[in-house]
Amino acid sequence: MEIKELLRGVELFDGLDEHGLKEVAAICTRRQLKYGELLVKQGEIGRELFIVSEGLMEVAVSDQTAQRVVVNLGTGQLIGEMSLVDRGPRSATVKAIQDPTYVQVIQHDEFHSLCKRNTLIGYQVMLNLAIDLSFKLRHHNLSED
């Protein structure tokens, strides 16, 4: 699948025109993973966002006693979107569970450079990220009642 087509189907990039999608595609790099290979480990510093372009990824969280699988992610789904904001610690461990699995990688620094050059892209992506986080926070708070 062409990178622009992949990005077009990702909510984080909703509202970007063809030029914007092309600019984001230009900072993407493709990475291949084999079955069982770790993409990120819970607790390590996040420096990139990943978009699953083919295959399947398993997301698991650990506490002091156990590790539990939270979700499996497939084509068009994101891993590490918060790293675009704060470079904080990863909240989960993610590994490939299909061979091969491919992800598109967007580095934090390259994304911020793009946003400085094209503030419309930065505004739209950060707005979409804020909408997504707001939805998740509301859903989390409602489910605790």
Side-chain angles (χ1 to χ4, degrees), residues 13 67 78 93 99-100 132 136-137:
F13 304 111
Q67 183 179 56
L78 301 175
T93 296
D99 192 16
D132 181 58
K136 288 175 181 172
L137 184 59

Side-chain angles (χ1 to χ4, degrees), residues 2-4 6-7 13 20-31 49-51 53 103-107 110-111 114:
E2 183 183 329
I3 298 174
K4 272 188 1 184
L6 176 68
L7 296 176
F13 304 111
L21 290 171
K22 183 179 176 182
E23 287 200 52
V24 173
I27 64 169
C28 289
T29 57
R30 187 176 189 215
R31 184 181 302 170
L49 159 75
F50 304 96
I51 307 162
S53 56
V103 294
Q104 293 293 331
V105 183
I106 298 177
Q107 298 290 330
E110 289 186 47
F111 176 74
L114 171 60

Side-chain angles (χ1 to χ4, degrees), residues 8-22:
R8 188 175 281 112
V10 175
E11 288 183 6
L12 187 63
F13 304 111
D14 280 353
L16 295 184
D17 61 13
E18 286 300 308
H19 178 72
L21 290 171
K22 183 179 176 182

Side-chain angles (χ1 to χ4, degrees), residues 6-137:
L6 176 68
L7 296 176
R8 188 175 281 112
V10 175
E11 288 183 6
L12 187 63
F13 304 111
D14 280 353
L16 295 184
D17 61 13
E18 286 300 308
H19 178 72
L21 290 171
K22 183 179 176 182
E23 287 200 52
V24 173
I27 64 169
C28 289
T29 57
R30 187 176 189 215
R31 184 181 302 170
Q32 178 181 350
L33 297 111
K34 295 180 178 163
Y35 179 84
E37 186 175 346
L38 287 184
L39 179 65
V40 299
K41 187 174 179 183
Q42 185 174 332
E44 70 185 12
I45 299 301
R47 293 184 176 86
E48 53 282 300
L49 159 75
F50 304 96
I51 307 162
V52 180
S53 56
E54 183 181 326
L56 202 57
M57 305 295 295
E58 177 184 271
V59 180
V61 294
S62 299
D63 61 21
Q64 286 79 356
T65 60
Q67 183 179 56
R68 67 181 172 88
V69 175
V70 178
V71 69
N72 291 335
L73 301 176
T75 302
Q77 293 186 295
L78 301 175
I79 299 159
E81 59 270 28
M82 290 305 299
S83 67
L84 293 182
V85 177
D86 67 359
R87 290 191 202 171
R90 299 284 187 192
S91 60
T93 296
V94 181
K95 69 178 179 180
I97 56 171
Q98 194 171 34
D99 192 16
T101 293
Y102 295 94
V103 294
Q104 293 293 331
V105 183
I106 298 177
Q107 298 290 330
H108 174 278
D109 292 344
E110 289 186 47
F111 176 74
H112 279 268
S113 292
L114 171 60
C115 291
K116 286 178 184 176
R117 291 191 312 273
N118 187 327
T119 55
L120 183 57
I121 290 173
Y123 169 78
Q124 191 63 54
V125 171
M126 290 302 176
L127 176 62
N128 291 339
L129 184 58
I131 289 168
D132 181 58
L133 293 174
S134 177
F135 171 80
K136 288 175 181 172
L137 184 59

